[in-house]
Each structure stands twice: as structure tokens, then as C-alpha cells.
Amino acid sequence: MVENTRHQNLISWSPTGTSFFVCNATQFAQEVLPEYFKHSNFSSFVRLLNMYGFHKINKSPRGQRGNNENEIWEFSHPKFQHGGADMLKEIKRKAMDSELLRRETGDIHASFAMLQLSQADLLQQFYILQDNFSSLLQGFEETKKVQLQQQIIIRQLAEKQGLQQSDLMTGKNI
């Protein structure tokens, strides 16, 4: 890509050959990237370079960068040198930082432990609700028995008084 003379106005080696320049990122993304990648997204290209250990050499102070048409991007990698094709095979994708991996694993373990505590708490609440429901059901059954006993007693009293069931319901002869 850098060696292709057709795009020298968009991508070229630095004078020292230890880095390369990308000029007019918008035009570069439209014309050059589709020839080498399945996309034409300059941000994805930069992300890919970073993933393989390339670094942007930033010559403009933060906040004073121009637009993509005027800005010149410079990237370097110790194994990417003009005329150093034999070193290209040594450029490898960066492995995930072990500290980051350890931190993320620790976060996952902590989250899992919190989930287990929440699950245990919810299970305990469920058992309490189950006990409360059983007590409520038992109380309901006992109330039903008392009600039936009271109805029997009322019937017996009514029969002794010579009243009919229908008289009890309408309130006649009481």
C-alpha cells in the first residue's frame, strides 16, 4: 500500500523511512482502503494499525487538528521500515494486556459473587413468602371450619325455636 506509486499523494514513506504519512484521510479512505480492505472507514484502519502495534506520531497539539482533508497522519512501527520487507513477518497482533485481562476476570468473579448473594437472598425471601402463604392458607382453613360450626349451631338453635331456614334468611318470625 505504501509502496504503490499510484497513491503517493495519499500515502507515502517519511524521508527517514521509519514511518509513513497519510494525507487527506477522507480521500484515502474512499480511494485506497477499498483496494486493500473490505471497508472504507479510516477510523477502522487506525484501530487496526493500533491493534498491530503501530503508533500515531502526533505533531499537532490537541484541539488544534485540522479537518481530514488538510491533516497529515503519521504512523510508525519498529518492524515497519522502508525496504525492510523481511521484518514484516515479525509484526503480530497485540495480545490482550495481562493486567487488563486479570482486572476483567476479577470484575467477572466479583459480579458472579454478587449474583450468587442476590440469588441466595431472593431464595430466602421466597422461602419466607412460602411460609407466610402456608400460614395464611392454614388460617383460612381454620376460619372456614369455625364458620361451618357456627352455621350448624345457628341451624340447631333455629330448629329449637321452630324457625325454617327460609325464615332465617329473610328475617321473618324472629
Side-chain angles (χ1 to χ4, degrees):
M1 180 184 320
V2 183
E3 301 288 336
N4 188 337
T5 55
R6 268 187 347 171
H7 302 295
Q8 273 188 326
N9 63 321
L10 298 174
I11 184 168
S12 60
W13 286 107
S14 69
T16 61
T18 58
S19 61
F20 67 94
F21 298 113
V22 174
C23 304
N24 191 340
T26 304
Q27 188 179 354
F28 173 80
Q30 292 170 349
E31 294 178 19
V32 180
L33 288 181
E35 289 184 31
Y36 297 93
F37 301 98
K38 294 179 184 176
H39 64 81
S40 59
N41 187 327
F42 186 71
S43 296
S44 296
F45 174 69
V46 171
R47 201 171 15 256
L48 189 65
L49 288 173
N50 289 330
M51 195 182 305
Y52 280 87
F54 284 80
H55 296 286
K56 181 178 185 293
I57 299 171
N58 188 8
K59 295 190 176 179
S60 60
R62 231 180 197 346
Q64 294 184 2
R65 294 184 183 138
N67 62 23
N68 279 348
E69 292 176 13
N70 299 328
E71 188 174 8
I72 297 174
W73 296 65
E74 184 176 2
F75 299 95
S76 70
H77 188 290
K79 304 289 182 183
F80 191 72
Q81 309 280 317
H82 183 58
D86 56 319
M87 293 189 297
L88 292 177
K89 62 183 176 282
E90 296 177 43
I91 298 175
K92 306 282 186 217
R93 186 175 176 170
K94 282 198 265 184
M96 187 178 228
D97 180 64
S98 61
E99 178 59 33
L100 175 65
L101 185 60
R102 194 170 26 257
R103 238 181 298 139
E104 287 180 357
T105 303
D107 290 347
I108 291 170
H109 286 299
S111 297
F112 186 69
M114 290 299 292
L115 281 173
Q116 285 179 317
L117 288 173
S118 296
Q119 181 186 16
D121 187 43
L122 286 172
L123 200 54
Q124 187 174 1
Q125 289 177 19
F126 173 75
Y127 290 140
I128 290 169
L129 286 172
Q130 202 173 26
D131 288 345
N132 289 345
F133 180 74
S134 293
S135 297
L136 195 61
L137 201 55
Q138 187 178 3
F140 177 72
E141 291 296 325
E142 289 173 7
T143 303
K144 195 173 175 182
K145 284 180 188 175
V146 168
Q147 182 186 17
L148 286 173
Q149 289 173 350
Q150 288 174 345
Q151 284 177 343
I152 292 170
I153 292 171
I154 290 172
R155 263 193 230 115
Q156 289 172 348
L157 286 173
E159 286 173 9
K160 285 184 182 175
Q161 295 292 323
L163 299 174
Q164 299 291 326
Q165 179 93 23
S166 61
D167 293 338
L168 288 174
M169 297 292 179
T170 57
K172 290 184 184 175
N173 297 329
I174 299 181

